[in-house]
Amino acid sequence: EKRIGNKEIDVTKLVNLNFTEAQKKDSRNFQEGQVVQFNQNVHGYKRGSLWIVESVNDKGVKIKNDIGETKPLQKMQVLIILK
């Protein structure tokens, strides 16, 4: 067995859940821990940025980025839901 180095690194593979536009607009389809990626620049979100679903309740979905910033997820069509 050949190796590049001595360290093993665990990685997480994100898979597109292929939500329909209707599914993206319904907060019942989101779960805590899911990853949301924006596929276009939108006010307040950069294209390609990854956000984690922090909470889901009857008021909507709250997402959090890697620097701890939290925002309510707007019902947008420009995102990809990953698991």
Side-chain angles (χ1 to χ4, degrees), residues 6-64:
N6 294 328
K7 289 185 179 181
E8 287 189 26
I9 299 172
D10 291 328
V11 296
T12 301
K13 179 181 177 182
L14 298 174
V15 178
N16 188 342
L17 296 179
N18 294 311
F19 277 17
T20 65
E21 296 306 323
Q23 288 172 313
K24 292 177 188 179
K25 294 178 183 179
D26 188 344
S27 62
R28 295 175 297 178
N29 293 311
F30 291 83
Q31 298 175 5
E32 290 181 21
Q34 282 179 321
V35 178
V36 174
Q37 180 179 33
F38 289 84
N39 59 2
Q40 289 183 19
N41 286 325
V42 180
H43 180 70
Y45 304 94
K46 289 185 181 179
R47 179 182 180 185
S49 63
L50 297 175
W51 295 70
I52 306 265
V53 175
E54 184 177 63
S55 65
V56 181
N57 58 39
D58 58 342
K59 296 178 184 175
V61 178
K62 185 186 260 187
I63 57 176
K64 182 178 179 178

Side-chain angles (χ1 to χ4, degrees), residues 1-8:
E1 179 177 321
K2 293 184 180 184
R3 294 184 182 195
I4 293 174
N6 294 328
K7 289 185 179 181
E8 287 189 26

